[in-house]
Amino acid sequence: NLSEVLVNALVFDGAGNLLGVHRTLIANLPSGSVKAVKFIWPTVFTAPVSSLLVEPRSRALLPGLAP
């Protein structure tokens, strides 16, 4: 089981420019489970979205991870 899984979402345009970043916290992720994560941005992006990078991180796997 993992507790406090931080999930970062980075959105890029076609030129590789960063359009937005969002972070959410999953309080508990039981072993073998699947959890849907929803990211909502408060405004429309300034350019079309070309790619999305999702980075899950856990202190259990990265002990030096800052909050």
Side-chain angles (χ1 to χ4, degrees):
N1 293 342
L2 294 175
S3 61
E4 294 190 359
V5 178
L6 294 170
V7 183
N8 300 312
L10 295 88
V11 179
F12 299 92
D13 68 11
N17 298 309
L18 183 64
L19 298 174
V21 177
H22 201 303
R23 172 184 277 182
T24 192
L25 175 68
I26 299 172
N28 185 31
L29 187 62
S31 179
S33 68
V34 175
K35 184 83 125 185
V37 179
K38 184 185 283 189
F39 295 99
I40 300 172
W41 278 266
T43 59
V44 176
F45 294 119
T46 57
V49 174
S50 176
S51 62
L52 171 67
L53 175 63
V54 178
E55 298 179 328
R57 296 174 181 251
S58 170
R59 288 192 185 109
L61 302 174
L62 302 168
L65 184 65

